[in-house]
Amino acid sequence: MAKKNIFTDAFGNIYFLKRFIIFILGMISYRRFNGFNKLKISGSENLVDLPTTNVLFVSNHQTYFADVAAMYHVFCSVNNGYINTIKNPVYLLNPKIDFYYVAAEETMNKNFLARIFKLAGAVTVKRTWRAEGKNVNRMVDMSEVENIMKALENGWVVTFPQGTTSAFAQGRKGTAKLIKNQKPIVIPIKINGFRRAFDKKGLKIKITGTEPTLQFKPALDIDYDKDSASDILDKIMHAIEQTPEHNILHEYDQELEAKKNAQEQLTKNESE
């Protein structure tokens, strides 16, 4: 597979241009995370001693772009020695440029701004289950899998195993299969509050004075010889807190359903 060099990354993107784009987008977005709203970061010490390649970050997803933008800020900040803070934006002058994120091709080709974001490090994939707002059923494009592997071999990659911004959506086994095959270090990220602070695209501020959070957890303990793809997916979904036991609304719905069933049973008994 292609390798990066001193001028370009593994996909042929010019480093100078990536640095410029990350700097400009970072300056534009900075006050969204340390001004209008205050991003709370924890666990970024778990990033300090990571290798420069074959590290996969798995995260839940709440907006199209704000989630990744916040991660860029943290990665660049840690790259310059700052832990759990983005208060000194000087880090944008020395960004982490061998960082990639997996994104839906449909999203990244929608408009000019999305294409600019794409140049910052997007590895695009076609969703196999949904396209243009409709359910689909298509095969995985293996060239896209190879691109993710290429990104891992040349840097850090973040992916969203649910493939959607919907909370508590099921995880996709494709991520787990990739992990079992590539054997990366897997760092879970739990995000919260982005949906409240920003619109769905993550471009407009919906409300100010909030404290969205980014929590970087320790690397997952994965036995690549014994753990199946299903086992790995279960560990991921639990770590990013997208399983039913973390869903307060799910418990509330269950309580409502139990009360409804009890009432129906009572009414049935009374009618008999």
Side-chain angles (χ1 to χ4, degrees):
M1 290 187 178
K3 293 287 185 180
K4 60 187 178 182
N5 57 52
I6 61 173
F7 300 110
T8 64
D9 68 12
F11 298 93
N13 298 311
I14 300 171
Y15 277 140
F16 175 80
L17 180 59
K18 285 187 73 172
R19 288 179 180 274
F20 179 74
I21 290 173
I22 293 171
F23 176 77
I24 295 300
L25 293 179
M27 292 302 296
I28 291 172
S29 63
Y30 180 74
R31 289 197 66 199
R32 295 167 180 260
F33 303 118
N34 197 40
F36 299 116
N37 296 293
K38 295 289 186 180
L39 180 65
K40 297 297 181 182
I41 307 158
S42 61
S44 66
E45 64 273 9
N46 292 314
L47 314 184
V48 174
D49 295 321
L50 292 175
T52 57
T53 62
N54 208 34
V55 178
L56 182 68
F57 296 86
V58 291
S59 176
N60 60 316
H61 202 18
Q62 293 191 339
T63 71
Y64 291 166
F65 299 114
D67 308 5
V68 173
M71 292 174 194
Y72 260 106
H73 278 283
V74 175
F75 291 145
C76 292
S77 184
V78 171
N79 193 50
N80 287 273
Y82 302 107
I83 304 300
N84 293 333
T85 181
I86 58 168
K87 288 184 178 180
N88 191 348
V90 69
Y91 56 74
L92 292 171
L93 294 172
N94 181 36
K96 183 169 182 61
I97 48 177
D98 290 315
F99 166 67
Y100 307 90
Y101 61 98
V102 180
E105 184 179 84
E106 178 183 345
T107 300
M108 303 312 298
N109 290 331
K110 276 188 174 179
N111 52 50
F112 176 75
L113 185 58
R115 291 175 186 272
I116 294 296
F117 290 152
K118 184 177 178 179
L119 290 174
V123 180
T124 59
V125 297
K126 293 183 287 291
R127 286 181 292 195
T128 58
W129 68 96
R130 194 162 180 82
E132 299 180 353
K134 299 178 181 179
N135 293 330
V136 298
N137 184 15
R138 58 188 174 197
M139 298 292 292
V140 173
D141 187 335
M142 293 310 297
S143 65
E144 296 172 348
V145 176
E146 290 176 1
N147 282 338
I148 299 173
M149 293 171 63
K150 182 195 298 186
L152 278 170
E153 289 179 356
N154 289 274
W156 291 2
V157 178
V158 62
T159 188
F160 304 96
Q162 293 165 290
T164 175
T165 56
S166 297
F168 301 101
Q170 68 177 16
R172 301 286 167 176
K173 279 191 177 180
T175 298
K177 290 177 180 177
L178 175 70
I179 290 170
K180 189 163 178 65
N181 179 67
Q182 193 71 9
K183 299 179 174 58
I185 294 174
V186 180
I187 305 291
I189 306 175
K190 171 64 172 66
I191 69 171
N192 196 25
F194 285 77
R195 184 179 288 108
R196 183 167 182 261
F198 306 100
D199 68 344
K200 186 172 183 178
K201 290 183 179 179
L203 300 177
K204 297 180 180 179
I205 298 174
K206 192 162 61 174
I207 187 172
T208 60
T210 66
E211 295 186 346
T213 62
L214 269 179
Q215 180 185 5
F216 296 86
K217 299 188 177 184
L220 283 183
D221 181 13
I222 300 174
D223 187 328
Y224 289 107
D225 294 322
K226 296 181 180 179
D227 288 346
S228 66
S230 293
D231 294 332
I232 294 172
L233 183 60
D234 287 343
K235 290 183 178 182
I236 290 171
M237 299 304 289
H238 180 75
I240 64 175
E241 299 182 21
Q242 292 296 294
T243 49
E245 64 265 29
H246 294 103
N247 188 351
I248 297 174
L249 290 178
H250 177 72
E251 293 177 1
Y252 178 68
D253 289 341
Q254 285 185 323
E255 290 177 6
L256 288 181
E257 184 66 22
K259 289 180 180 179
K260 179 182 176 182
N261 291 337
Q263 185 61 44
E264 289 177 349
Q265 184 62 45
L266 179 62
T267 302
K268 180 180 178 181
N269 293 340
E270 288 176 349
S271 63
E272 293 176 352

PDB file of all heavy atoms in Angstrom, residues 167-168 190 192 241-256:
ATOM      1  N   ALA A 167     -28.767   8.201  18.431  1.00  0.00           N
ATOM      2  CA  ALA A 167     -28.284   7.607  19.677  1.00  0.00           C
ATOM      3  C   ALA A 167     -28.744   6.156  19.818  1.00  0.00           C
ATOM      4  O   ALA A 167     -29.859   5.815  19.431  1.00  0.00           O
ATOM      5  CB  ALA A 167     -28.779   8.428  20.869  1.00  0.00           C
ATOM      6  N   PHE A 168     -27.871   5.322  20.323  1.00  0.00           N
ATOM      7  CA  PHE A 168     -28.146   3.920  20.641  1.00  0.00           C
ATOM      8  C   PHE A 168     -28.527   3.080  19.417  1.00  0.00           C
ATOM      9  O   PHE A 168     -29.179   2.045  19.548  1.00  0.00           O
ATOM     10  CB  PHE A 168     -29.213   3.813  21.739  1.00  0.00           C
ATOM     11  CG  PHE A 168     -28.802   4.507  23.002  1.00  0.00           C
ATOM     12  CD1 PHE A 168     -29.297   5.762  23.310  1.00  0.00           C
ATOM     13  CD2 PHE A 168     -27.880   3.921  23.857  1.00  0.00           C
ATOM     14  CE1 PHE A 168     -28.896   6.422  24.461  1.00  0.00           C
ATOM     15  CE2 PHE A 168     -27.466   4.576  25.013  1.00  0.00           C
ATOM     16  CZ  PHE A 168     -27.975   5.831  25.312  1.00  0.00           C
ATOM     17  N   LYS A 190     -16.119   8.582  24.203  1.00  0.00           N
ATOM     18  CA  LYS A 190     -17.528   8.830  24.543  1.00  0.00           C
ATOM     19  C   LYS A 190     -17.777  10.327  24.449  1.00  0.00           C
ATOM     20  O   LYS A 190     -17.152  11.113  25.154  1.00  0.00           O
ATOM     21  CB  LYS A 190     -17.828   8.340  25.964  1.00  0.00           C
ATOM     22  CG  LYS A 190     -19.208   8.733  26.493  1.00  0.00           C
ATOM     23  CD  LYS A 190     -20.337   8.108  25.680  1.00  0.00           C
ATOM     24  CE  LYS A 190     -21.699   8.346  26.324  1.00  0.00           C
ATOM     25  NZ  LYS A 190     -22.095   9.760  26.331  1.00  0.00           N
ATOM     26  N   ASN A 192     -20.658  13.592  24.400  1.00  0.00           N
ATOM     27  CA  ASN A 192     -21.990  13.942  24.880  1.00  0.00           C
ATOM     28  C   ASN A 192     -22.166  15.456  24.783  1.00  0.00           C
ATOM     29  O   ASN A 192     -21.194  16.213  24.874  1.00  0.00           O
ATOM     30  CB  ASN A 192     -22.194  13.477  26.330  1.00  0.00           C
ATOM     31  CG  ASN A 192     -23.658  13.471  26.734  1.00  0.00           C
ATOM     32  OD1 ASN A 192     -24.546  13.361  25.891  1.00  0.00           O
ATOM     33  ND2 ASN A 192     -23.922  13.607  28.013  1.00  0.00           N
ATOM     34  N   GLU A 241     -20.579   3.479  25.442  1.00  0.00           N
ATOM     35  CA  GLU A 241     -21.821   3.629  26.212  1.00  0.00           C
ATOM     36  C   GLU A 241     -23.049   3.779  25.311  1.00  0.00           C
ATOM     37  O   GLU A 241     -23.894   4.653  25.515  1.00  0.00           O
ATOM     38  CB  GLU A 241     -21.686   4.813  27.177  1.00  0.00           C
ATOM     39  CG  GLU A 241     -20.550   4.620  28.174  1.00  0.00           C
ATOM     40  CD  GLU A 241     -20.408   5.754  29.170  1.00  0.00           C
ATOM     41  OE1 GLU A 241     -21.391   6.497  29.374  1.00  0.00           O
ATOM     42  OE2 GLU A 241     -19.304   5.894  29.744  1.00  0.00           O
ATOM     43  N   GLN A 242     -23.137   2.879  24.341  1.00  0.00           N
ATOM     44  CA  GLN A 242     -24.280   2.869  23.434  1.00  0.00           C
ATOM     45  C   GLN A 242     -25.081   1.574  23.532  1.00  0.00           C
ATOM     46  O   GLN A 242     -25.783   1.195  22.599  1.00  0.00           O
ATOM     47  CB  GLN A 242     -23.804   3.093  21.995  1.00  0.00           C
ATOM     48  CG  GLN A 242     -23.261   4.487  21.745  1.00  0.00           C
ATOM     49  CD  GLN A 242     -24.332   5.555  21.913  1.00  0.00           C
ATOM     50  OE1 GLN A 242     -25.289   5.622  21.143  1.00  0.00           O
ATOM     51  NE2 GLN A 242     -24.179   6.409  22.924  1.00  0.00           N
ATOM     52  N   THR A 243     -24.956   0.901  24.660  1.00  0.00           N
ATOM     53  CA  THR A 243     -25.727  -0.317  24.925  1.00  0.00           C
ATOM     54  C   THR A 243     -26.952   0.032  25.768  1.00  0.00           C
ATOM     55  O   THR A 243     -26.994   1.086  26.413  1.00  0.00           O
ATOM     56  CB  THR A 243     -24.848  -1.348  25.654  1.00  0.00           C
ATOM     57  OG1 THR A 243     -24.196  -0.699  26.751  1.00  0.00           O
ATOM     58  CG2 THR A 243     -23.785  -1.916  24.716  1.00  0.00           C
ATOM     59  N   PRO A 244     -27.975  -0.845  25.793  1.00  0.00           N
ATOM     60  CA  PRO A 244     -29.232  -0.521  26.484  1.00  0.00           C
ATOM     61  C   PRO A 244     -29.084  -0.095  27.939  1.00  0.00           C
ATOM     62  O   PRO A 244     -29.820   0.776  28.400  1.00  0.00           O
ATOM     63  CB  PRO A 244     -30.024  -1.835  26.368  1.00  0.00           C
ATOM     64  CG  PRO A 244     -29.542  -2.449  25.106  1.00  0.00           C
ATOM     65  CD  PRO A 244     -28.077  -2.123  25.052  1.00  0.00           C
ATOM     66  N   GLU A 245     -28.112  -0.678  28.651  1.00  0.00           N
ATOM     67  CA  GLU A 245     -27.991  -0.329  30.066  1.00  0.00           C
ATOM     68  C   GLU A 245     -27.568   1.122  30.294  1.00  0.00           C
ATOM     69  O   GLU A 245     -27.707   1.666  31.393  1.00  0.00           O
ATOM     70  CB  GLU A 245     -27.008  -1.258  30.791  1.00  0.00           C
ATOM     71  CG  GLU A 245     -25.566  -1.178  30.317  1.00  0.00           C
ATOM     72  CD  GLU A 245     -25.242  -2.224  29.277  1.00  0.00           C
ATOM     73  OE1 GLU A 245     -26.162  -2.624  28.532  1.00  0.00           O
ATOM     74  OE2 GLU A 245     -24.077  -2.644  29.199  1.00  0.00           O
ATOM     75  N   HIS A 246     -27.039   1.764  29.236  1.00  0.00           N
ATOM     76  CA  HIS A 246     -26.655   3.168  29.348  1.00  0.00           C
ATOM     77  C   HIS A 246     -27.769   4.111  28.890  1.00  0.00           C
ATOM     78  O   HIS A 246     -27.620   5.326  28.980  1.00  0.00           O
ATOM     79  CB  HIS A 246     -25.400   3.445  28.512  1.00  0.00           C
ATOM     80  CG  HIS A 246     -24.180   2.753  29.015  1.00  0.00           C
ATOM     81  ND1 HIS A 246     -23.662   1.621  28.415  1.00  0.00           N
ATOM     82  CD2 HIS A 246     -23.373   3.010  30.073  1.00  0.00           C
ATOM     83  CE1 HIS A 246     -22.594   1.227  29.068  1.00  0.00           C
ATOM     84  NE2 HIS A 246     -22.393   2.048  30.088  1.00  0.00           N
ATOM     85  N   ASN A 247     -28.848   3.547  28.395  1.00  0.00           N
ATOM     86  CA  ASN A 247     -29.934   4.343  27.824  1.00  0.00           C
ATOM     87  C   ASN A 247     -31.015   4.583  28.864  1.00  0.00           C
ATOM     88  O   ASN A 247     -31.858   3.722  29.115  1.00  0.00           O
ATOM     89  CB  ASN A 247     -30.504   3.624  26.587  1.00  0.00           C
ATOM     90  CG  ASN A 247     -31.510   4.491  25.839  1.00  0.00           C
ATOM     91  OD1 ASN A 247     -31.907   5.553  26.314  1.00  0.00           O
ATOM     92  ND2 ASN A 247     -31.915   4.028  24.667  1.00  0.00           N
ATOM     93  N   ILE A 248     -30.995   5.741  29.477  1.00  0.00           N
ATOM     94  CA  ILE A 248     -31.986   6.087  30.506  1.00  0.00           C
ATOM     95  C   ILE A 248     -33.386   6.091  29.909  1.00  0.00           C
ATOM     96  O   ILE A 248     -34.351   5.627  30.525  1.00  0.00           O
ATOM     97  CB  ILE A 248     -31.669   7.458  31.121  1.00  0.00           C
ATOM     98  CG1 ILE A 248     -30.317   7.418  31.839  1.00  0.00           C
ATOM     99  CG2 ILE A 248     -32.758   7.875  32.111  1.00  0.00           C
ATOM    100  CD1 ILE A 248     -29.848   8.758  32.359  1.00  0.00           C
ATOM    101  N   LEU A 249     -33.504   6.593  28.678  1.00  0.00           N
ATOM    102  CA  LEU A 249     -34.815   6.623  28.028  1.00  0.00           C
ATOM    103  C   LEU A 249     -35.327   5.218  27.760  1.00  0.00           C
ATOM    104  O   LEU A 249     -36.528   4.963  27.827  1.00  0.00           O
ATOM    105  CB  LEU A 249     -34.736   7.418  26.717  1.00  0.00           C
ATOM    106  CG  LEU A 249     -34.530   8.927  26.859  1.00  0.00           C
ATOM    107  CD1 LEU A 249     -34.430   9.576  25.493  1.00  0.00           C
ATOM    108  CD2 LEU A 249     -35.659   9.557  27.669  1.00  0.00           C
ATOM    109  N   HIS A 250     -34.398   4.304  27.467  1.00  0.00           N
ATOM    110  CA  HIS A 250     -34.782   2.918  27.232  1.00  0.00           C
ATOM    111  C   HIS A 250     -35.422   2.323  28.498  1.00  0.00           C
ATOM    112  O   HIS A 250     -36.443   1.656  28.435  1.00  0.00           O
ATOM    113  CB  HIS A 250     -33.557   2.093  26.829  1.00  0.00           C
ATOM    114  CG  HIS A 250     -33.831   0.634  26.639  1.00  0.00           C
ATOM    115  ND1 HIS A 250     -34.535   0.144  25.565  1.00  0.00           N
ATOM    116  CD2 HIS A 250     -33.512  -0.452  27.408  1.00  0.00           C
ATOM    117  CE1 HIS A 250     -34.634  -1.178  25.666  1.00  0.00           C
ATOM    118  NE2 HIS A 250     -34.020  -1.553  26.775  1.00  0.00           N
ATOM    119  N   GLU A 251     -34.789   2.609  29.645  1.00  0.00           N
ATOM    120  CA  GLU A 251     -35.338   2.120  30.904  1.00  0.00           C
ATOM    121  C   GLU A 251     -36.706   2.750  31.168  1.00  0.00           C
ATOM    122  O   GLU A 251     -37.633   2.092  31.654  1.00  0.00           O
ATOM    123  CB  GLU A 251     -34.379   2.448  32.045  1.00  0.00           C
ATOM    124  CG  GLU A 251     -33.047   1.689  31.967  1.00  0.00           C
ATOM    125  CD  GLU A 251     -32.103   2.093  33.069  1.00  0.00           C
ATOM    126  OE1 GLU A 251     -32.492   2.947  33.897  1.00  0.00           O
ATOM    127  OE2 GLU A 251     -30.976   1.565  33.112  1.00  0.00           O
ATOM    128  N   TYR A 252     -36.833   4.037  30.844  1.00  0.00           N
ATOM    129  CA  TYR A 252     -38.104   4.730  31.043  1.00  0.00           C
ATOM    130  C   TYR A 252     -39.194   4.120  30.162  1.00  0.00           C
ATOM    131  O   TYR A 252     -40.318   3.893  30.603  1.00  0.00           O
ATOM    132  CB  TYR A 252     -37.924   6.213  30.732  1.00  0.00           C
ATOM    133  CG  TYR A 252     -39.182   7.040  30.843  1.00  0.00           C
ATOM    134  CD1 TYR A 252     -39.782   7.260  32.082  1.00  0.00           C
ATOM    135  CD2 TYR A 252     -39.768   7.607  29.711  1.00  0.00           C
ATOM    136  CE1 TYR A 252     -40.932   8.030  32.190  1.00  0.00           C
ATOM    137  CE2 TYR A 252     -40.916   8.362  29.808  1.00  0.00           C
ATOM    138  CZ  TYR A 252     -41.497   8.583  31.051  1.00  0.00           C
ATOM    139  OH  TYR A 252     -42.639   9.328  31.162  1.00  0.00           O
ATOM    140  N   ASP A 253     -38.821   3.839  28.910  1.00  0.00           N
ATOM    141  CA  ASP A 253     -39.777   3.210  27.987  1.00  0.00           C
ATOM    142  C   ASP A 253     -40.205   1.839  28.490  1.00  0.00           C
ATOM    143  O   ASP A 253     -41.371   1.449  28.368  1.00  0.00           O
ATOM    144  CB  ASP A 253     -39.163   3.082  26.582  1.00  0.00           C
ATOM    145  CG  ASP A 253     -39.018   4.425  25.887  1.00  0.00           C
ATOM    146  OD1 ASP A 253     -39.707   5.378  26.314  1.00  0.00           O
ATOM    147  OD2 ASP A 253     -38.222   4.520  24.942  1.00  0.00           O
ATOM    148  N   GLN A 254     -39.248   1.089  29.049  1.00  0.00           N
ATOM    149  CA  GLN A 254     -39.573  -0.225  29.593  1.00  0.00           C
ATOM    150  C   GLN A 254     -40.551  -0.105  30.766  1.00  0.00           C
ATOM    151  O   GLN A 254     -41.475  -0.910  30.889  1.00  0.00           O
ATOM    152  CB  GLN A 254     -38.297  -0.938  30.048  1.00  0.00           C
ATOM    153  CG  GLN A 254     -37.448  -1.491  28.902  1.00  0.00           C
ATOM    154  CD  GLN A 254     -36.267  -2.284  29.411  1.00  0.00           C
ATOM    155  OE1 GLN A 254     -35.653  -1.931  30.423  1.00  0.00           O
ATOM    156  NE2 GLN A 254     -35.935  -3.358  28.724  1.00  0.00           N
ATOM    157  N   GLU A 255     -40.336   0.908  31.606  1.00  0.00           N
ATOM    158  CA  GLU A 255     -41.231   1.126  32.732  1.00  0.00           C
ATOM    159  C   GLU A 255     -42.643   1.466  32.251  1.00  0.00           C
ATOM    160  O   GLU A 255     -43.638   0.963  32.780  1.00  0.00           O
ATOM    161  CB  GLU A 255     -40.695   2.247  33.627  1.00  0.00           C
ATOM    162  CG  GLU A 255     -39.442   1.867  34.398  1.00  0.00           C
ATOM    163  CD  GLU A 255     -38.902   3.031  35.210  1.00  0.00           C
ATOM    164  OE1 GLU A 255     -39.593   4.083  35.247  1.00  0.00           O
ATOM    165  OE2 GLU A 255     -37.826   2.909  35.796  1.00  0.00           O
ATOM    166  N   LEU A 256     -42.716   2.321  31.236  1.00  0.00           N
ATOM    167  CA  LEU A 256     -44.012   2.682  30.682  1.00  0.00           C
ATOM    168  C   LEU A 256     -44.713   1.466  30.088  1.00  0.00           C
ATOM    169  O   LEU A 256     -45.930   1.285  30.255  1.00  0.00           O
ATOM    170  CB  LEU A 256     -43.847   3.767  29.605  1.00  0.00           C
ATOM    171  CG  LEU A 256     -43.499   5.181  30.069  1.00  0.00           C
ATOM    172  CD1 LEU A 256     -43.407   6.107  28.869  1.00  0.00           C
ATOM    173  CD2 LEU A 256     -44.542   5.701  31.058  1.00  0.00           C
TER     174      LEU A 256
END
